[in-house]
Structures are given as structure tokens and as C-alpha cells.
Amino acid sequence: MRTTRAVEKNSNGKPGPGSAAVQATPELLGYGRFPAMNTEVRILTAALDAAELMGQAEDCFRDVEQHFSRFIPDSELSLLNDRQVDHVRISSEMMTLLKLCVRMHRATGGLFDPAILPVLEGAGYDRSFDQVPPTRPEGPKTAIEPHSIAEIVLEESKSVVRLPGGMRLDFGGIGKGYAVDRAGQVMSPAGDYLIDAGGDIVASGNGPGTEGWLIAVGHPTSPEEDLQQVYLHNEAIATSSIARRRWMRGTAQQHHIIDPRRGEPAQTDCLSVSVIAPTAMEADVYAKCALILGSEGGRLLLEGHNLPGFFVLADGNVESTSNWKGS
């Protein structure tokens, strides 16, 4: 269920009905879709011949998933989490992503922290979400030693990372945005293009017209209902929501957004937060952090970084930052 999507336009250039599909038009000469990272990825471009670029962009998603999915037993991340030593030789791509994780951890005051995997698994998210049952018995009460991504040591010259024992990582809060940005770098020769990976969107150039790419923000519980529409031009947008990924663990309702300060699913007044940022990775991370903080704290966080944000609250109200440009 995507809550942020590119909007289909009719032949007259006006937004069409609320449909998750984007039709190729004379202005959109390239159009492709494929499954990756447990979602549907769509690529649109105005380039005359972009088939090769789109193929390379699809390869980016495959590569990121193979490296960084915790649900692939032989992924580089899974092997890192299953290590028997405190130092591991890693690929250049893993080094790049870990450096980004450390940077975003600092930028968000510690709210973004991939070292929450043991807590996430303890809450019941220990398999791909499509395999998580809606109700699960309460797990055993085991003490989880807290760790932070700030504890890792990156020895870039040796391609080595050092991690304390017991630290295990999850890249669910950054991986999809990172993949979208990677694919965007591949698509850059096309000039005008849009990549939409289940609502993590990067939009380059003018889109089908001159105003930019029209993006709809849907209601988190009724995605066919568009709450806002916004034009993007050389920007990205992502939405974080707790409306869908919920389940019962014993008598307690759980979700996948972990507050690292408390070591448990975030207690928030928000159902979803949408953020516009220079990159999909930043939009992805800041949307989750703003959701953790709730509407008041999240608005302060986003405005402190000059990032537009739109909040859908659990009580049905909506709020936005002062620089939100949707309508």
C-alpha cells in the first residue's frame, strides 16, 4: 500500500483519477516497472531511448537488495550480523552505506539508528512483512543489550568495520531511499525521469510538462484518497507510516518504527509523515524520525533542517511544516 505516488495525467494534462498507475504519454517516452525490495518500482522518463538506462537502474535495486536485505540469508548484511568476530572486511558499497548511516545518526540526534534489529525482532518483525502473522504469541522476556550505530569503527583504508558483540543492523530505514538514489544516478543522462519505489520517489527535471512531476500524498488508511498534491523538480519525497505494518504480539499492538531512545515501537500521535528532501535517502530517514517524534517534535526537526513535511495524525487531523508546498 503506497501513500505517496506519481499522479496519472489525462490527455489534457490535468490530474487523472486516483490511480496508482502512471500511463506513458507522448511526453513520457520511457516507462518500466518491476518488483524489487518487496514493492513495485516504476521508472518514467522523457528520454527518447532510455531502455538501457532503465535496465541498469533495475540492476541497482537488485544489487542493493542482495547486499543489504536482512531477509536474504547470504546477503552481505546477514553475514555481517552473523559474524563470529568483532571486525569484518566489507565491500565498498557496504562502507558507503555505513558511512551514510553514521552521518544520518548524527544529523538526527540519534533518532535514526540501524542497530535496533534485536528490538525489531523482539517485537515480532523477524521475517519479511508479508510473512508476519497478524497475531503472534508474546515472546520470552529476554534482556536486549542496547547498541548504537555510533559504536562502530570504520577503517576505510582497510575496508574493515569493527562492531561490538551483539550489535545487529537493519537497513529498513534507509535502504530503499538509498536504492532509489543509486538508480537515479544511473538515470541521470536521461535528464527528465522519475523513480517511484513504493512511495519513495526521486523526480528529476520538468516531468511531462514544465511545472515538474505531480505527486499525490494519499491517506494512510485510504490510499485511494489524495490528501495533498505537490510538484517536485529535482527533489525527492518519502512517506513513513504505521497504518499498515501492524500486528499483535500477545496483547500488545506492535509496528515497525522503533524508537531507539526507548527500545520499543514508537509511541506517536502520527499515522504518517511525508517529507521532501534533496535525496530519497534523506526523505526516507527524516520521515521516520519525524514520525517517531510525533507532530510537534517532528515539525521542529524538519523545520530545523528546512525540510517540508506533511503529517497525518491518528485523530484524523493533518498538519504541515511552514514550508510545505502542497495543495
Side-chain angles (χ1 to χ4, degrees):
M1 177 172 61
R2 68 178 71 223
T3 55
T4 315
R5 60 176 178 81
V7 174
E8 177 183 343
K9 286 193 173 185
N10 296 318
S11 58
N12 61 6
K14 300 298 183 182
S19 167
V22 179
Q23 304 268 335
T25 69
E27 297 87 358
L28 296 178
L29 302 174
Y31 177 65
R33 70 170 71 194
F34 53 88
M37 305 180 78
N38 203 29
T39 193
E40 179 185 75
V41 179
R42 295 176 297 162
I43 302 178
L44 295 84
T45 178
L48 181 62
D49 184 10
E52 183 176 353
L53 291 178
M54 287 193 289
Q56 293 172 2
E58 180 175 351
D59 290 341
C60 282
F61 280 93
R62 306 290 180 216
D63 185 61
V64 170
E65 187 168 24
Q66 180 58 51
H67 271 87
F68 303 129
S69 173
R70 66 181 171 101
F71 304 120
I72 298 176
D74 62 349
S75 73
E76 187 174 8
L77 176 60
S78 294
L79 297 177
L80 180 65
N81 283 335
D82 293 340
R83 69 195 179 280
Q84 301 299 315
V85 294
D86 65 356
H87 63 283
V88 180
R89 186 174 294 275
I90 57 176
S91 68
S92 60
E93 189 161 17
M94 176 66 81
M95 181 67 72
T96 296
L97 186 54
L98 287 174
K99 288 169 64 178
L100 286 173
C101 287
V102 172
R103 177 164 70 85
M104 297 311 299
H105 177 77
R106 292 170 178 165
T108 61
L111 283 172
F112 170 74
D113 199 330
I116 46 78
L117 179 55
V119 176
L120 195 58
E121 291 175 329
Y125 195 5
D126 56 0
R127 63 199 73 184
S128 180
F129 185 75
D130 56 357
Q131 299 175 20
V132 174
T135 59
R136 305 192 65 179
E138 187 170 359
K141 299 292 185 182
T142 57
I144 297 175
E145 181 182 358
H147 285 290
S148 168
I149 193 71
E151 298 174 63
I152 71 169
V153 177
L154 297 172
E155 299 181 11
E156 193 165 4
S157 63
K158 299 179 181 178
S159 299
V160 165
V161 59
R162 295 183 179 274
L163 308 91
M167 178 186 287
R168 299 172 66 244
L169 305 176
D170 170 65
F171 291 141
I174 193 173
K176 192 163 61 168
Y178 175 77
V180 170
D181 290 335
R182 276 275 317 277
Q185 292 170 359
V186 168
M187 290 295 301
S188 61
D192 284 336
Y193 64 85
L194 178 140
I195 302 172
D196 178 359
D200 280 34
I201 296 171
V202 64
S204 173
N206 294 321
T210 60
E211 299 169 289
W213 295 89
L214 184 59
I215 307 298
V217 178
H219 195 286
T221 59
S222 302
E224 69 281 356
E225 176 189 351
D226 292 344
L227 297 177
Q228 291 277 290
Q229 291 187 339
V230 59
Y231 282 97
L232 297 187
H233 183 276
N234 298 325
E235 297 168 295
I237 189 170
T239 297
S240 182
S241 173
I242 59 172
R244 172 175 174 256
R245 292 192 174 184
R246 291 174 176 263
W247 62 93
M248 296 298 296
R249 184 74 158 171
T251 60
Q253 189 173 74
Q254 307 287 333
H255 60 75
H256 70 298
I257 304 296
I258 300 298
D259 185 342
R261 301 169 302 178
R262 299 184 173 89
E264 61 183 25
Q267 299 177 13
T268 176
D269 65 340
C270 299
L271 279 182
S272 70
V273 180
S274 301
V275 173
I276 298 172
T279 67
M281 180 275 293
E282 292 170 294
D284 202 1
V285 168
Y286 279 106
K288 290 175 174 64
C289 291
L291 189 144
I292 289 171
L293 288 172
S295 56
E296 182 176 355
R299 190 166 58 250
L300 291 174
L301 173 71
L302 297 181
E303 290 183 343
H305 290 273
N306 196 31
L307 297 174
F310 180 74
F311 299 75
V312 181
L313 308 188
D315 63 8
N317 291 318
V318 298
E319 297 179 4
S320 63
T321 57
S322 58
N323 57 352
W324 176 254
K325 57 183 181 179
S327 60

